[in-house]
Amino acid sequence: MSSRPDEAGKLLLTELAEMKRRSDRIVMVTAYDYPSGRLADAAGVDIVLVGDSAAMTVLGHDTTVPATMEEMVMLTRAASRGARRPLVVADMPFGSFQVSDEDALRNAVRFVKEAGADAVKVEGAGPTVSRVVALVGAGIPVMGHLGLTPQSATMLGGFRAQGRSADKARQLLEDARTLERAGCFSIVLEAMPAPVAARITEALTVPTIGIGSGRDCDGQVLVLHDLLGLYQGRSPRFVKRYAELGEAIKDALERYTADVRSGAFPGEEHTYSIPDDELAAFEKSLAGG
Ligand code: KIV
């Protein structure tokens, strides 16, 4: 890892553009609590995204739409306590920035002041561009997100790849340029053809972070529960599973259940002792009433 931290050990936001310039790939992963933030830090991850994918991975919803500000602030606060070196980016949930620049600013300030986030992420272009200008103007770094933007999956025709026609690909490139001009320090490119993401990456000076968009992006992001094999639902084709923790956890819980039921747990080594004379005195006191 050649990138520079600040005095507190936090990766400098400005290092991301330097990493792009040096062709050092940027590593981002989602995390939603203290242990996952800490483990991402220990593994040398550069950016922790407290994604609104939490609505699906940890809160059990079918989409990301129901995630609330209260839930996202609580999860971001926990993850940022664990992630000391990585930049912590809080995902602005659906409804927290769509209505007005003022709403967006009020909610983004909460992520920075109450939850310890270093930056926020917003989905889309169009009206989102004015939100980016407002947030960056107030000193809050903003990450953009184009392509498959799950908060508007219904409008996009479901969870499907974007930018697969010349017109749509051109629009994505225009949107990326607009978000860069508006002040985004980085842009997530989700589920678009690799050559389209490559052209967007080439056209920008800020780094792109790909998910399902090929290897030519400046960095990659995966959802923690997908890569660890913890998410029960069907993972998209772009996910690579690095572990099967769901199976490992189920196996451990089954063995624990069997041990409790059979009396094999707890054993002697899991219990506390009391001196014989103290126990005898205790029993005598009980016998005496
Ligand atoms: O919410 C999330 O986890 C995300 C990533 C998939 C980029 O937005």
Side-chain angles (χ1 to χ4, degrees), residues 157-180:
F159 289 86
R160 50 171 53 201
Q162 302 295 307
R164 298 180 88 177
S165 69
D167 281 352
K168 298 234 163 83
R170 213 181 156 81
Q171 185 61 53
L172 286 174
L173 175 60
E174 278 317 306
D175 288 347
R177 285 194 165 120
T178 308
L179 286 176
E180 177 174 68

Side-chain angles (χ1 to χ4, degrees), residues 153-282:
T154 309
M155 298 252 294
L156 299 174
F159 289 86
R160 50 171 53 201
Q162 302 295 307
R164 298 180 88 177
S165 69
D167 281 352
K168 298 234 163 83
R170 213 181 156 81
Q171 185 61 53
L172 286 174
L173 175 60
E174 278 317 306
D175 288 347
R177 285 194 165 120
T178 308
L179 286 176
E180 177 174 68
R181 275 197 301 274
C184 283
F185 70 87
S186 171
I187 302 176
V188 170
L189 304 179
E190 179 163 356
M192 62 181 72
V196 176
R199 290 308 298 269
I200 295 174
T201 299
E202 230 173 66
L204 303 183
T205 57
V206 297
T208 60
I209 310 287
I211 174 163
S213 298
R215 60 162 66 107
D216 289 325
C217 297
D218 298 304
Q220 297 291 326
V221 56
L222 278 178
V223 167
L224 185 78
H225 288 55
D226 285 337
L227 84 88
L228 294 183
L230 269 174
Y231 184 57
Q232 296 299 301
R234 201 167 59 87
S235 290
R237 58 176 269 145
F238 54 72
V239 168
K240 178 168 175 184
R241 283 162 90 116
Y242 286 85
E244 293 298 338
L245 294 196
E247 281 307 309
I249 291 172
K250 184 163 148 285
D251 174 64
L253 289 172
E254 280 171 356
R255 287 187 292 114
Y256 165 66
T257 302
D259 277 2
V260 171
R261 293 203 170 123
S262 70
F265 176 82
E268 274 305 301
E269 68 277 27
H270 305 119
T271 59
Y272 299 97
S273 63
I274 178 172
D276 289 348
D277 55 336
E278 292 297 335
L279 183 58
F282 171 55

